[in-house]
Amino acid sequence: MCVAVPGKIVEINGSTAKVDVMNNTCDVNIKLVQAKIGDYVLIHAGCAIDVLSKDSAEEILWMFKELEEEVHDNSSADH
């Protein structure tokens, strides 16, 4: 299964951007979208596929955090 994740653009160099994804910086191809520094983008397979509002990006990140906590809690209960 593939999942797209949101991140915030912190730097742009041509068609590549440095994007902060959950406190990790990665290089993302931004050719498919019109984005600027400070925008949130949805990333799949190393490419930005959509520009998101800050609220939408934060909601998705909150869901990832909730899932991570649930997985952690379940794995702790197994031990």
Side-chain angles (χ1 to χ4, degrees):
M1 174 172 74
C2 297
V3 177
V5 295
K8 184 177 182 179
I9 295 178
V10 294
E11 181 181 317
I12 296 176
N13 294 312
S15 62
T16 302
K18 297 239 182 252
V19 180
D20 179 340
V21 179
M22 296 181 272
N23 296 318
N24 295 296
T25 304
C26 58
D27 293 326
V28 175
N29 183 305
I30 57 170
K31 284 183 181 180
L32 299 175
V33 297
Q34 291 190 353
K36 60 189 181 305
I37 293 173
D39 282 349
Y40 287 85
V41 291
L42 191 60
I43 305 159
H44 176 71
C47 296
I49 57 173
D50 199 6
V51 177
L52 301 173
S53 69
K54 180 179 180 183
D55 289 342
S56 292
E58 288 176 347
E59 182 178 354
I60 295 167
L61 290 169
W62 176 82
M63 285 188 270
F64 277 116
K65 183 177 180 184
E66 289 292 307
L67 286 170
E68 180 181 23
E69 288 175 3
E70 185 174 321
V71 168
H72 182 266
D73 290 347
N74 287 339
S75 67
S76 295
D78 292 340
H79 295 256

